[in-house]
């Protein structure tokens, strides 16, 4: 594959809307597919993004837009990261230069970008539920419209898909479900259905056998019902042995497939048949993740699922290697597992991205990938804990939101020792609002008996992970951000469980810096020192429940300021304020955090700057607050 120029060329340059695809010949479609792959590699190599999934759906997407009429017919993607080709053919080619960049093209479907995007789903296994409701709405309103849901990259391992399928079959509305079966989510897809589909992919000749049986049935003289039933049983038996058709048909869903998902004509034929059925239909498309780009096809880990910027000739990442938070966790997890045979790991289809893969490589029998099923992961962990083990559930912070009820009632209410390790906590950047891990400290802070740790560097991550695993009477959370680990920030001293990172002879401000914001807190202290104010910077380490030592520290300062990489509403700042009230400490408190909302994508630094969460912004605010105290008080500032 050659690297494409910046601007689209050839057939691709003539595509400005889905309607343009309908006039292309078979030869032009083949050329267009190749041009789109070149385009994807060239653009994603510069910005980073989801490459492998989109290389695998090129022909599938072209066929879909040739058969259906978007936006009148509604096209939904699950998961949303496989919608790049859809974006290309719906008039957004030029925007790819700013893919996932601040102010640029989203890496997921976006209603703000195009009328062809209806839902902004980047959490898996949701599209079929949207589709169920949408198709019911069209039917009830008497609208002659189709709904098409493209479900792939492991989304069928999520329970919501099966809840939706049950209802879709019962409603019998006009709905086409395209199963993009590439056998993978990030890594190879886990579960019984995946195994069944894998069997089908390994038996490509079974359709030829079915054709022979069909021909035999058609040419056999009519000699009575018994002969027909025997032959029909043979036909059904062969198909049942390798096909998921009975499973779907038992639900009441028509099944078409398997279809070569890289053959536009075959996909188009299958989709036209499905469209004409006017009832729920499953179209089973077999594809290869990363198809057409050798570095992606040969990447065993995840087929270049979501690389950063890379060399398009080789697929090698261009960023300099650095120590990531995930790497620190993975290494310490294995070290703990070496010492404690009761420690096991669970992840939801993200072994490599969360670090559980490191445990799986050394102790494969002690690592479980449950697929995209966070609710099941949590309650399964509860069962493991009931069985005498200490499970560590590693997921992205944003995805644990989906299992709140399980954490609350299946784990916490039973006081079970389960540790949740939340990767990508806080503002994560290019993946946008659905992936921001800003809710966990607020949402899970209400769970009785749950302890939450927020390490500030590699040393405290190792320390707090070990402390979490040592807890035996309830659940724990250890949360950390994305990206490279900050340099170690050793404490001056420890007061109870609270680390004091900086002290001053004046005690104007107690700055409570949460987790990765410890470095910001130290910089703020330096800036205020230049203004003549003294700041004590502390890291609570364990933020829920609020350490009692904070009340004593707060009582010796004129102002308390909390800074957290999470939503301010219901966050750590509000919890600290409540703790001070309960301890009868009457010191003013200001809470700084992320405003509750769905903030746009961009780099972490860009988004934090836009939210006023930089050292300069915080220092300016704190200076204003403490100078306001000077103006209203005749008392001298406290000193040591």
């Amino acid at each position: 594959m050659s690297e494409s120029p910046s601007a689209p060329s050839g057939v691709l340059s003539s595509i400005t809307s889905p309607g343009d695809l309908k006039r292309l010949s078979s030869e032009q479609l083949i050329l267009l597919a190749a041009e789109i792959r070149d385009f994807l590699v060239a653009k994603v190599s510069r910005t980073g993004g989801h490459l492998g999934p989109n290389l695998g759906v090129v022909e599938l997407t072209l066929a879909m837009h040739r058969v259906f009429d978007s936006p009148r017919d509604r096209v939904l993607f699950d998961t949303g990261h496989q919608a790049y080709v859809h974006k290309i053919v719906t008039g957004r080619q030029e925007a790819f230069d700013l893919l996932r960049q601040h102010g640029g093209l989203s890496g997921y479907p976006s209603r703000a970008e195009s009328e062809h995007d209806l839902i902004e789903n980047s959490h898996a296994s949701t599209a079929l539920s949207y589709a169920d409701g949408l198709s019911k709405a069209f039917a009830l309103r008497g609208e002659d419209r189709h709904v098409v849901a493209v479900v792939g990259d492991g989304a069928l391992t999520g329970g919501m898909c099966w809840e939706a399928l049950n209802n879709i079959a019962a409603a019998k509305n006009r709905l086409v479900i395209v199963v993009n079966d590439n056998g993978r989510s990030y890594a190879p897809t886990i579960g019984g259905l995946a195994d069944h589909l894998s069997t089908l992919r390994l038996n490509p000749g079974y359709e030829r056998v079915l054709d022979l049986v069909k021909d035999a049935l058609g040419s056999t003289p009519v000699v009575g019902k018994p002969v027909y039933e025997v032959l029909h049983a043979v036909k059904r038996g062969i198909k049942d042995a390798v096909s998921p058709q009975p499973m779907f048909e038992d639900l009441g869903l028509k099944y078409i497939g398997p279809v070569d998902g890289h053959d536009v004509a075959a996909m188009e034929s299958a989709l036209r048949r499905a469209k004409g059925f006017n009832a729920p239909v499953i179209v089973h498309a077999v594809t290869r993740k990363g198809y057409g780009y050798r570095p992606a096809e040969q990447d065993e880990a995840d087929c270049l699922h979501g690389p950063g910027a890379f060399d398009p000739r080789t697929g090698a990442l261009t960023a300099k290697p650095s120590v990531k938070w995930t790497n620190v966790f993975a290494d310490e997890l294995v070290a703990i597992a070496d010492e404690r045979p009761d420690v096991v790991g669970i992840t939801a289809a993200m072994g490599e991205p969360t670090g559980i893969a490191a445990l799986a490589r050394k102790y494969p029998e002690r690592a479980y990938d449950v697929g995209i099923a966070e609710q099941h992961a949590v309650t399964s962990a509860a069962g493991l804990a009931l069985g005498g083990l200490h499970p560590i559930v590693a997921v992205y912070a944003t995805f644990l939101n989906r299992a709140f009820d399980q954490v609350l009632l299946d784990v916490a209410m039973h006081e079970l020792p389960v540790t949740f390790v939340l990767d990508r906590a806080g503002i994560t950047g290019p993946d946008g609002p659905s992936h921001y891990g800003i809710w966990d400290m607020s949402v899970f802070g209400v769970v009785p008996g749950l302890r939450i740790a927020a390490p500030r560097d590699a040393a405290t991550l190792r320390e707090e992970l070990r402390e979490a695993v040592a807890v035996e009477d309830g659940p724990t959370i250890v949360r950390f951000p994305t990206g490279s680990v900050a340099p170690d920030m050793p404490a001056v001293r420890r007061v109870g469980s609270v680390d004091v990172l900086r002290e001053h002879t004046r005690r104007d401000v107690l700055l409570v810096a949460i987790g990765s914001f410890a470095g910001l807190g130290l910089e703020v202290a330096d800036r205020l020192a230049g203004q003549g104010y003294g700041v004590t910077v502390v890291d609570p380490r364990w933020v829920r429940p609020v350490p009692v030592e904070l009340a004593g520290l707060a009582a010796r300062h004129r102002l308390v300021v909390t800074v957290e990489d999470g939503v301010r509403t219901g966050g750590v700042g509000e919890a600290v304020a409540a703790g001070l009230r309960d301890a009868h400490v009457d010191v003013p408190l200001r809470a700084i955090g992320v405003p509750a909302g769905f903030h746009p994508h961009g780099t972490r630094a860009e988004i934090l700057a836009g939210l006023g969460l930089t050292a300069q912004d915080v220092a300016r605010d704190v200076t204003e607050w403490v100078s306001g105290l000077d103006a209203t008080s005749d008392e001298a500032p406290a000193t040591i």
Side-chain angles (χ1 to χ4, degrees), residues 9 35 42 54 119 157 210 226 274 330 398 415 417 439 496 529 536 549 575 598:
S9 60
E35 290 177 356
N54 289 286
I119 57 173
T157 60
L210 293 180
T398 182
E415 300 180 340
W439 312 101
T536 301
E549 294 83 7
F598 303 105

Side-chain angles (χ1 to χ4, degrees), residues 119-135:
I119 57 173
E120 304 187 12
N121 60 320
S122 52
H123 287 195
S125 310
T126 59
L128 291 185
S129 296
Y130 281 116
D132 175 49
L134 193 57
S135 62

